[in-house]
Amino acid sequence: MIEAFSFVPPLRRAGLNPVNLLMMEILLSQIAALVQGNVVGDPNKLIRGVAPFETAHEDEITLAGQAKFLKKMDETRAGAVIVASGVEGFSHNLLQVDNPPVAFAQVMEFFHPPAVPEAVIDPRAVIGRDFVCGADVAIGPLAVVGDRVTLGDRVWLFPGVIIGNDVVIGDDTIIYPNVTVYSRCRIGQRVIIHAGTVIGSDGFGFAPNGDQYYKIPHTGSVQIDDDVEIGANNTIDRGTFGKTWVRRGVKTDNLVHIAHNVTVGENSVLVAQVGISGSVTIGKNAILAGQAGIAGHLRIGDRATVGPQCGVGKSVPDGAVVIGSPEMPHKKWFRLQRIVAQLPELKKRLEALEKKLQQMEQRNGKGF
Amino acid sequence: MIEAFSFVPPLRRAGLNPVNLLMMEILLSQIAALVQGNVVGDPNKLIRGVAPFETAHEDEITLAGQAKFLKKMDETRAGAVIVASGVEGFSHNLLQVDNPPVAFAQVMEFFHPPAVPEAVIDPRAVIGRDFVCGADVAIGPLAVVGDRVTLGDRVWLFPGVIIGNDVVIGDDTIIYPNVTVYSRCRIGQRVIIHAGTVIGSDGFGFAPNGDQYYKIPHTGSVQIDDDVEIGANNTIDRGTFGKTWVRRGVKTDNLVHIAHNVTVGENSVLVAQVGISGSVTIGKNAILAGQAGIAGHLRIGDRATVGPQCGVGKSVPDGAVVIGSPEMPHKKWFRLQRIVAQLPELKKRLEALEKKLQQMEQRNGKGF
Amino acid sequence: MIEAFSFVPPLRRAGLNPVNLLMMEILLSQIAALVQGNVVGDPNKLIRGVAPFETAHEDEITLAGQAKFLKKMDETRAGAVIVASGVEGFSHNLLQVDNPPVAFAQVMEFFHPPAVPEAVIDPRAVIGRDFVCGADVAIGPLAVVGDRVTLGDRVWLFPGVIIGNDVVIGDDTIIYPNVTVYSRCRIGQRVIIHAGTVIGSDGFGFAPNGDQYYKIPHTGSVQIDDDVEIGANNTIDRGTFGKTWVRRGVKTDNLVHIAHNVTVGENSVLVAQVGISGSVTIGKNAILAGQAGIAGHLRIGDRATVGPQCGVGKSVPDGAVVIGSPEMPHKKWFRLQRIVAQLPELKKRLEALEKKLQQMEQRNGKGF
């Protein structure tokens, strides 16, 4: 038996209070109460599941958050449809809410409650000295916890997780298998770290010494604040001095690289395969699209957007939208793309002009 | 002793029947029988190994699959050369086959038979409840198998592999060290998954909620069909609803990212560091070259080719070859590259025209 | 207790000889002796730490290696400043050295000595048959060492490291958690491999066989020479025949991909997310910037520099600096970027010329 690796469904984390957990069925009015919405139609409609627009059955609830779904409303067989406040005029049972995607996610969470482990430290886990362990912690078999580690309440370490010495992890944080956290890193509350991710490896710093390189020690660490989610197989290096800092609410996709001494501001989003060089500062609520790369020591502004595969060589102002490699304002980029596509034609027009002018000259002689 | 981590060579997987396994020597005629080829030269030539064209010794067999090797045939000392059917006129012993590279791979496999473990579940592995275990399964020490897992015959799990609850894995599948498979994923027969890969992590889906993000539960899973090979340190996310689907015969290189609800069609190839956004559908026999990225919800057609570092922003038709960021047909891209390289010269020609026209105007006065 | 996972500070690796380890304080003259420098100012100044220019306290030493720091010398409160030989004329205590960044790294290493484990093989590690073990080896719990493995003196394997059969590892090499080394790979002395990296996975080689692919066996291995540092979550494939070879002094950042049969020359640097295709040869002291990609079978010359996100499709000569996708000499690239940015204006000028010429024609009639 692998207690800490099993799933039991008390919905502890979700904080929801289902009517009938075993049957997983609930009245539409109860869902409305859950998501603070308003029913248009039958409040006693029994809902047994949640599904996408195209495939929902008559006892399931779905989402029509965007106008394109409202236009084809007759194509869904769903027993109820989550819509924005004010949307009406359909024969379906409607659940009007302020934020349809969030309400839909909440309903998904109700029908698919997050797994919760038994609060057991598996005897096959390895626990170091001077362990400070919160309540209801679950540690899977073959996880390793170093010396002087502090875990908050309800922390869940999956099998194969390796936690270095002197690490601190906050309440309700989940770390999936085969994650490595180097020594002295600090991880906040309600953080999720997906499998294979490495937190706290040495930054990439070497001092040239003739033809060779001398390794610069990395004496700092990594701090990950509350409510962060880190994707699979990320790499987040520790600071040379001080910390690499991933601030509250940041979300990273898979295979993201964050170098030493980077700060990622609150609620910013790093899409898959983004690479951020050393000492970059990213503001709040920025979005870096997939495979974008940021050169060292730059600042990406609050609410800035960096396009996919963008190569950023200069700092980006607050609210700017940049794309291209090297980056430029997206409007300029789109204009340039259009002109570049016309280059064969423009070249022909240039040649036509040259020919015409030559003919004029020939016709008029040198004395023209 | 780590039985499940040791190599013994009964060639079980290869299905080959060597003449003299200890000596690893075989007649050229026997190789011909193995690969269904035709000997031109000495069928009794004794072959003791396989090697590249440039370095093969007189008792080794090599490959001259391409015309460039035929042109320098006198540069190889190999005792036999695999060539295409119909190739002759050389003093070497030739082995004519329909598909020289495949025949060469088969001969390599004969001389370097794939490792086969002893069919032992190491006592230091961790096995969950309600385990359904096929015949001749090998599980290395410190592998973890969750609850209600089903393994087919001859499955080989290396040390450090973590298999979540309710996972199903088909016959003859090999999973290398430190791979993580999240709960409920399904993996087919004869699948190979290289070390460090993560299968079934949550998709990157969050509903904006003011300045913050609300996590969208990922209730789906990942399905990997038969004969797939997944490289090292890949990340394949589970579906939001339903499955992320890697279909039969797909091959992925290292560090490939496949997002939630992607379908990769049969026999398609994803080269290293490719990134595929959510809900993309890739057709059959497509090739995505290294570091290419595909934006969300697109379709890449059957037999399409996407060039290296290509950034695909629109769906790609069947059979198309695209390159560039943003993508365009490769012929257009090559033409544009040529013109862009001429831009300094074209600019000078434009300036020369302007000057000439100005001179004409000056010479002729305003009244021209 | 996890002996092999604990940190004790005898400074064994650093080879330094601190005056007062517990207090971690030292005279400036002693630091001068350590780094072979020359004190200008008070040789008896007591130094208790090392810190960045902006944040150093009065009992700490800092670095002013670049001219920009010399210009704002009055902004640091540091008790001593490491400068280049010949720099003087400041009121601070100066430590003149030939190579300030290297001296600073050495001083950092003194104050932050690298962790050294107790020389213990944890009983929860798994050790295969015919193990050849050097002196003072440290192996953490839940590491796995295959059969016939040879470890040099003072090798340190962290928890979760998986070492395949027949692997050889040299003296003083450190391998961080969850690294996988496939069978038969060879790793030199003083090598550092960060967490999650995979060494020796099969190269990405398949022979097309109709619509399907036939796997090409990878019979070679990986050789990593002395003084190499490999970042986190790298993937280095084994050779098809022969070896993939990472030569002495190479440094790789995180998420780097090195394909089968690649050679990376001495002291070359691969920045994060670089991808190198099969059979590429990289010379000595080359630098490949972040997210660059190299197509197969090319040669990157000695001391060549490949820019960030560069897509290299042709071999690069010794000493060349290339950038762009496809790559070109960086001077050409910068010139083209400037002209591309002018394209909207150039197009207008072309149109103005066309209009003017048309007016001339109209004014002069067809008979012009």
Side-chain angles (χ1 to χ4, degrees):
Chain A
M1 288 187 299
I2 314 172
E3 301 300 345
F5 198 48
S6 302
F7 290 164
V8 293
L11 294 185
R12 187 184 62 180
R13 271 168 218 277
L16 298 177
N17 190 21
V19 175
N20 183 338
L21 184 63
L22 291 179
M23 293 293 293
M24 272 297 181
E25 59 183 25
I26 190 172
L27 300 178
L28 182 54
S29 60
Q30 292 175 304
I31 294 181
L34 187 69
V35 300
Q36 296 175 288
N38 178 48
V39 174
V40 178
D42 177 10
N44 293 319
K45 171 72 185 174
L46 208 54
I47 301 294
R48 293 199 176 85
V50 57
F53 191 84
E54 294 81 4
T55 61
H57 289 286
E58 287 175 16
D59 56 356
E60 292 176 323
I61 189 168
T62 193
L63 171 68
Q66 297 172 286
K68 68 174 179 178
F69 289 107
L70 295 178
K71 281 177 190 162
K72 53 179 182 178
M73 201 70 161
D74 56 343
E75 293 179 21
T76 186
R77 296 189 299 134
V81 183
I82 296 174
V83 295
S85 300
V87 169
E88 52 190 352
F90 295 99
S91 60
H92 297 72
N93 295 310
L94 302 180
L95 178 52
Q96 298 170 326
V97 296
D98 286 345
N99 189 329
V102 168
F104 189 62
Q106 290 170 331
V107 175
M108 285 181 72
E109 204 171 319
F110 168 77
F111 283 104
H112 301 274
V116 176
E118 280 194 61
V120 170
I121 298 178
D122 190 282
R124 288 156 297 190
V126 173
I127 309 292
R129 286 172 285 210
D130 302 324
F131 180 38
V132 179
C133 186
D136 297 323
V137 163
I139 303 182
L142 310 185
V144 176
V145 174
D147 294 335
R148 298 171 302 282
V149 168
T150 299
L151 301 186
D153 298 342
R154 294 172 302 281
V155 166
W156 185 5
L157 306 183
F158 274 75
V161 168
I162 312 286
I163 305 293
N165 296 331
D166 302 293
V167 167
V168 176
I169 300 179
D171 297 343
D172 295 300
T173 284
I174 301 174
I175 304 187
Y176 282 100
N178 289 325
V179 166
T180 300
V181 181
Y182 281 57
S183 60
R184 290 190 287 113
C185 295
R186 301 180 74 89
I187 297 174
Q189 300 184 20
R190 295 174 302 280
V191 171
I192 298 170
I193 303 178
H194 282 283
T197 282
V198 175
I199 310 277
S201 40
D202 286 346
F204 194 62
F206 301 91
N209 192 15
D211 270 356
Q212 301 177 27
Y213 291 93
Y214 194 92
K215 179 175 175 64
I216 298 172
H218 278 70
T219 70
S221 67
V222 174
Q223 178 179 321
I224 295 179
D225 290 349
D226 299 344
D227 301 303
V228 167
E229 182 161 348
I230 305 285
N233 280 346
N234 280 217
T235 60
I236 306 182
D237 282 349
R238 66 197 309 110
T240 313
F241 293 98
K243 68 194 172 205
T244 303
W245 192 7
V246 179
R247 300 190 65 173
R248 177 192 293 261
V250 166
K251 313 295 181 190
T252 78
D253 201 343
N254 297 334
L255 294 167
V256 168
H257 165 67
I258 300 178
H260 60 92
N261 294 101
V262 166
T263 294
V264 185
E266 292 179 18
N267 300 313
S268 283
V269 168
L270 310 183
V271 180
Q273 297 176 317
V274 158
I276 303 176
S277 302
S279 302
V280 165
T281 299
I282 296 175
K284 298 177 187 178
N285 290 92
I287 297 174
L288 278 64
Q291 299 184 334
I294 315 291
H297 296 270
L298 302 182
R299 182 178 189 281
I300 307 298
D302 294 346
R303 298 181 191 278
T305 301
V306 175
Q309 296 191 328
C310 185
V312 179
K314 291 182 181 166
S315 288
V316 174
D318 289 354
V321 180
V322 298
I323 191 166
S325 180
E327 90 293 345
M328 61 187 79
H330 72 300
K331 286 179 185 169
K332 182 178 175 188
W333 185 85
F334 280 111
R335 200 170 59 210
L336 288 185
Q337 292 303 318
R338 277 196 303 273
I339 298 186
V340 166
Q342 298 165 5
L343 277 177
E345 180 221 325
L346 294 176
K347 187 186 173 189
K348 278 182 197 161
R349 284 161 62 182
L350 178 66
E351 288 165 348
L353 279 184
E354 288 174 325
K355 197 173 174 186
K356 202 175 280 185
L357 214 58
Q358 201 181 10
Q359 288 171 340
M360 285 166 70
E361 288 182 322
Q362 287 173 341
R363 216 171 291 153
N364 291 280
K366 277 194 170 173
F368 173 75
Chain B
M1 288 189 297
I2 314 172
E3 301 300 345
F5 197 48
S6 303
F7 292 171
V8 293
L11 294 185
R12 186 184 60 179
R13 271 168 217 276
L16 297 176
N17 189 21
V19 175
N20 183 338
L21 184 63
L22 291 178
M23 293 294 292
M24 271 298 182
E25 59 184 25
I26 190 172
L27 299 179
L28 182 53
S29 60
Q30 292 175 304
I31 294 181
L34 188 69
V35 301
Q36 296 175 287
N38 178 47
V39 175
V40 178
D42 178 9
N44 294 317
K45 171 71 184 174
L46 207 55
I47 302 294
R48 293 200 177 85
V50 57
F53 190 85
E54 296 80 4
T55 62
H57 290 287
E58 288 174 16
D59 57 356
E60 291 175 325
I61 189 168
T62 193
L63 171 68
Q66 298 173 283
K68 67 174 181 180
F69 288 107
L70 296 178
K71 282 177 190 163
K72 52 179 184 178
M73 201 69 160
D74 56 341
E75 293 179 21
T76 186
R77 297 187 299 134
V81 183
I82 295 174
V83 295
S85 300
V87 169
E88 52 190 353
F90 296 98
S91 60
H92 297 74
N93 296 310
L94 301 180
L95 177 53
Q96 298 170 325
V97 296
D98 286 344
N99 188 329
V102 168
F104 189 61
Q106 289 169 332
V107 175
M108 286 182 70
E109 203 171 319
F110 169 77
F111 284 105
H112 301 274
V116 177
E118 282 192 61
V120 171
I121 298 178
D122 190 283
R124 287 156 298 189
V126 173
I127 308 292
R129 286 171 284 209
D130 302 324
F131 180 38
V132 179
C133 186
D136 298 322
V137 163
I139 303 182
L142 310 184
V144 175
V145 175
D147 295 334
R148 297 172 303 281
V149 168
T150 300
L151 300 186
D153 298 343
R154 295 171 301 282
V155 166
W156 185 4
L157 305 182
F158 275 75
V161 168
I162 312 287
I163 304 292
N165 296 330
D166 302 294
V167 167
V168 176
I169 300 179
D171 296 345
D172 295 300
T173 284
I174 301 175
I175 304 187
Y176 282 99
N178 289 325
V179 166
T180 299
V181 181
Y182 282 57
S183 59
R184 288 191 289 112
C185 295
R186 301 179 76 86
I187 297 174
Q189 299 183 20
R190 297 172 302 280
V191 171
I192 298 173
I193 303 178
H194 282 283
T197 282
V198 175
I199 310 277
S201 41
D202 285 347
F204 195 62
F206 300 91
N209 191 15
D211 270 357
Q212 302 178 27
Y213 291 93
Y214 195 92
K215 180 175 174 64
I216 298 172
H218 278 69
T219 69
S221 67
V222 175
Q223 178 179 322
I224 296 179
D225 289 349
D226 298 344
D227 301 303
V228 167
E229 181 161 349
I230 305 287
N233 280 347
N234 280 216
T235 59
I236 306 182
D237 283 348
R238 68 198 307 110
T240 313
F241 292 97
K243 67 193 173 203
T244 303
W245 192 8
V246 179
R247 300 190 65 171
R248 177 192 293 262
V250 167
K251 312 297 180 188
T252 78
D253 202 342
N254 297 335
L255 293 168
V256 168
H257 165 67
I258 300 178
H260 59 93
N261 294 100
V262 166
T263 295
V264 185
E266 291 179 20
N267 302 310
S268 283
V269 168
L270 311 184
V271 180
Q273 297 176 318
V274 158
I276 303 177
S277 302
S279 302
V280 164
T281 299
I282 296 175
K284 299 178 186 178
N285 291 92
I287 296 175
L288 278 64
Q291 299 184 333
I294 315 292
H297 295 271
L298 302 183
R299 183 177 187 281
I300 308 297
D302 294 346
R303 299 181 191 280
T305 300
V306 175
Q309 296 192 327
C310 185
V312 179
K314 290 183 183 166
S315 289
V316 174
D318 289 354
V321 181
V322 298
I323 191 166
S325 181
E327 91 292 345
M328 60 188 80
H330 72 300
K331 286 179 186 169
K332 182 178 175 188
W333 184 85
F334 280 110
R335 198 170 60 208
L336 288 185
Q337 292 303 317
R338 277 196 303 273
I339 298 187
V340 166
Q342 299 166 4
L343 277 177
E345 181 222 322
L346 293 176
K347 185 186 175 192
K348 278 182 196 157
R349 283 161 64 182
L350 178 66
E351 288 165 347
L353 278 184
E354 289 174 325
K355 197 175 175 185
K356 200 175 283 185
L357 215 58
Q358 200 182 11
Q359 288 171 341
M360 285 168 69
E361 289 182 321
Q362 286 173 343
R363 214 172 293 153
N364 291 279
K366 276 192 172 173
F368 174 74
Chain C
M1 287 188 299
I2 315 174
E3 301 300 345
F5 198 48
S6 303
F7 290 164
V8 293
L11 294 185
R12 187 184 61 179
R13 270 168 219 277
L16 298 176
N17 189 21
V19 174
N20 182 339
L21 184 63
L22 290 179
M23 292 295 294
M24 272 297 183
E25 61 182 23
I26 190 172
L27 299 178
L28 182 53
S29 61
Q30 293 175 303
I31 294 181
L34 187 70
V35 301
Q36 296 175 288
N38 178 46
V39 174
V40 178
D42 178 9
N44 294 318
K45 171 71 185 175
L46 207 56
I47 302 295
R48 292 199 176 87
V50 58
F53 190 85
E54 296 80 1
T55 61
H57 290 287
E58 289 174 15
D59 56 357
E60 292 176 323
I61 188 168
T62 193
L63 171 68
Q66 296 172 285
K68 67 174 181 179
F69 289 107
L70 296 177
K71 281 178 189 162
K72 53 178 184 178
M73 201 68 162
D74 55 343
E75 293 179 21
T76 185
R77 296 187 300 134
V81 183
I82 296 175
V83 296
S85 301
V87 170
E88 53 189 353
F90 295 99
S91 59
H92 298 72
N93 296 310
L94 300 181
L95 177 53
Q96 298 170 324
V97 295
D98 285 345
N99 189 329
V102 168
F104 189 62
Q106 290 169 330
V107 175
M108 285 181 70
E109 202 171 320
F110 169 78
F111 284 105
H112 301 273
V116 176
E118 280 193 61
V120 170
I121 298 178
D122 190 283
R124 289 157 296 189
V126 173
I127 308 293
R129 288 171 283 208
D130 303 323
F131 181 38
V132 179
C133 185
D136 298 322
V137 163
I139 303 182
L142 310 185
V144 176
V145 175
D147 294 335
R148 299 172 301 282
V149 168
T150 299
L151 301 186
D153 298 342
R154 296 170 303 281
V155 166
W156 185 4
L157 305 183
F158 275 75
V161 168
I162 312 287
I163 305 292
N165 297 331
D166 302 293
V167 167
V168 177
I169 300 178
D171 297 345
D172 295 300
T173 284
I174 301 174
I175 304 188
Y176 283 100
N178 288 326
V179 166
T180 299
V181 181
Y182 281 57
S183 60
R184 288 190 289 111
C185 295
R186 302 180 75 88
I187 298 174
Q189 300 184 20
R190 298 172 302 281
V191 171
I192 298 171
I193 303 179
H194 283 284
T197 281
V198 175
I199 311 278
S201 40
D202 285 346
F204 194 62
F206 300 90
N209 191 15
D211 270 356
Q212 302 179 27
Y213 291 94
Y214 194 92
K215 178 175 175 66
I216 297 172
H218 278 70
T219 70
S221 67
V222 175
Q223 178 178 321
I224 295 179
D225 289 349
D226 298 344
D227 301 304
V228 167
E229 182 162 347
I230 305 287
N233 280 348
N234 280 217
T235 59
I236 306 182
D237 283 348
R238 69 198 307 111
T240 313
F241 292 98
K243 67 194 173 204
T244 303
W245 192 8
V246 180
R247 301 191 64 172
R248 177 192 293 262
V250 167
K251 313 295 180 190
T252 77
D253 202 343
N254 298 334
L255 293 167
V256 168
H257 164 67
I258 300 178
H260 60 93
N261 294 100
V262 166
T263 294
V264 185
E266 291 180 18
N267 302 311
S268 283
V269 168
L270 310 184
V271 181
Q273 296 176 317
V274 158
I276 303 177
S277 303
S279 301
V280 165
T281 299
I282 296 175
K284 299 178 186 178
N285 291 93
I287 296 175
L288 277 64
Q291 299 184 332
I294 315 292
H297 296 270
L298 302 183
R299 184 178 187 280
I300 308 297
D302 294 346
R303 297 180 192 280
T305 300
V306 175
Q309 296 191 327
C310 186
V312 179
K314 290 183 183 167
S315 288
V316 174
D318 290 354
V321 181
V322 298
I323 191 166
S325 181
E327 90 293 345
M328 60 187 81
H330 71 300
K331 286 179 186 169
K332 182 177 175 188
W333 185 84
F334 280 112
R335 198 171 60 210
L336 287 185
Q337 292 303 318
R338 276 196 303 274
I339 298 187
V340 167
Q342 298 164 7
L343 277 177
E345 181 222 323
L346 293 177
K347 186 186 173 190
K348 279 182 195 158
R349 284 162 62 183
L350 178 67
E351 288 165 346
L353 278 185
E354 289 174 326
K355 197 173 175 187
K356 201 175 280 186
L357 214 59
Q358 199 181 11
Q359 288 171 341
M360 285 167 70
E361 289 183 320
Q362 287 173 341
R363 216 171 292 152
N364 291 278
K366 277 192 171 175
F368 175 74

